[in-house]
Structure formats: C-alpha cells, structure tokens
Amino acid sequence: VPAEIRDTRQLFLHELGDILFVERRLTDEVLPKLIDEVKDRELWSGLKRHHSQTRKHAANVERVFAELGEEPKAEECLGFEGLKSEHEELAKEVSPDLVDVIDTGAAARTEHYEIAAYDGLIAMARSLKEPRAVALLEENLKEDKDALLHVTRAAKRLAREQAKESL
Ligand SMILES: [Fe+2]
Ligand SMILES: [Fe+2]
C-alpha cells in the first residue's frame, strides 16, 4: 500500500489538521467548561483571556491552510483526546476543593502539547518556504507559551495555598 503522506507538505497539512482540531475543541468545549468550574479569580481571568486567544488560534490555523491554497480540514487528535479523558477520569476522583489544582494541571499539559505541535509546524513551514504561515503559527506559539507561564504560576500558588489549608 503506498503511504498516504509522502512529503513534508502533506505531513504539514496533516499536523495542521491535528492542531486545528485541538484549537476548535478547546474553544468550543474544553475552555468554557474550565472557565465555568474554576473558583480562583486570577485563574478564571487567565482562562478567559486565553479562551479568546484560542478562538483566534483556530482562525489563524485556517488562514495557514488558505496560505497553502487548501481547505481547512480538522483531523481527530488522539493525543489531545487522551489528555482530555485522563483529566475527566481524575475529576471523578478528586474532592471539589482540588478542582482548580487539577484544572491548572490539565491546562498546563495542553499548552505543552500545543507548543510542541507549533514548534514542529513552524520548522516545516520554514522548510516549505512559507513565511506567512510561519508568522501566523508563531503568533499562536507565543500566546500558548504565555498561557503556559500563567498557568504554571497559578499552579504553584494554588499548591502553596492548598498546603497551608491542610495544615
Ligand atoms: Fe493555542
Ligand atoms: Fe493554548
């Protein structure tokens, strides 16, 4: 059977479809749910901000498809689905006091996943000599890195507060 993905361009488009799936799922489903359930004010506003950034990330990825003269096509991303079901399983087992802590953990894992995906995509877009695609993807990468920083800081603070409460 001949391989379906035979060159960098095809691989790039496939992985672009993966990240489109992730950004859409985060926008429509995952971030609204997290925003709904977290209690910490600062975490809440960080998630709110990243939600509107994430909506733009999906639009940027669609623009990258257009740059390459292709229709945007999302591909089910099993890595992301795995992170999501891991989190859902854990959420069933933890006490409500720990919801914010596990939500920051899930958010951090997701940002790491996105960052790795964008690093790979940017490298491929460069080798394909698609500077506008590179610029759009770098915009997303930068905001996902900022989000990771924010969520990591929140995770540390929440862990400290949690430890104090359980003294
Ligand atoms: Fe993103
Ligand atoms: Fe993100």
Side-chain angles (χ1 to χ4, degrees), residues 52-63:
S52 54
Q53 291 174 332
T54 300
R55 188 174 293 121
K56 195 186 67 194
H57 292 182
N60 278 352
V61 172
E62 288 168 8
R63 285 170 66 195

Side-chain angles (χ1 to χ4, degrees), residues 23 26 31 50 54 57 107 110-111 114 140 143-144 147:
E23 298 287 16
L26 287 168
L31 284 168
H50 198 51
T54 300
H57 292 182
T110 306
E111 297 311 326
E114 287 186 87
N140 289 9
E143 289 179 348
D144 282 330

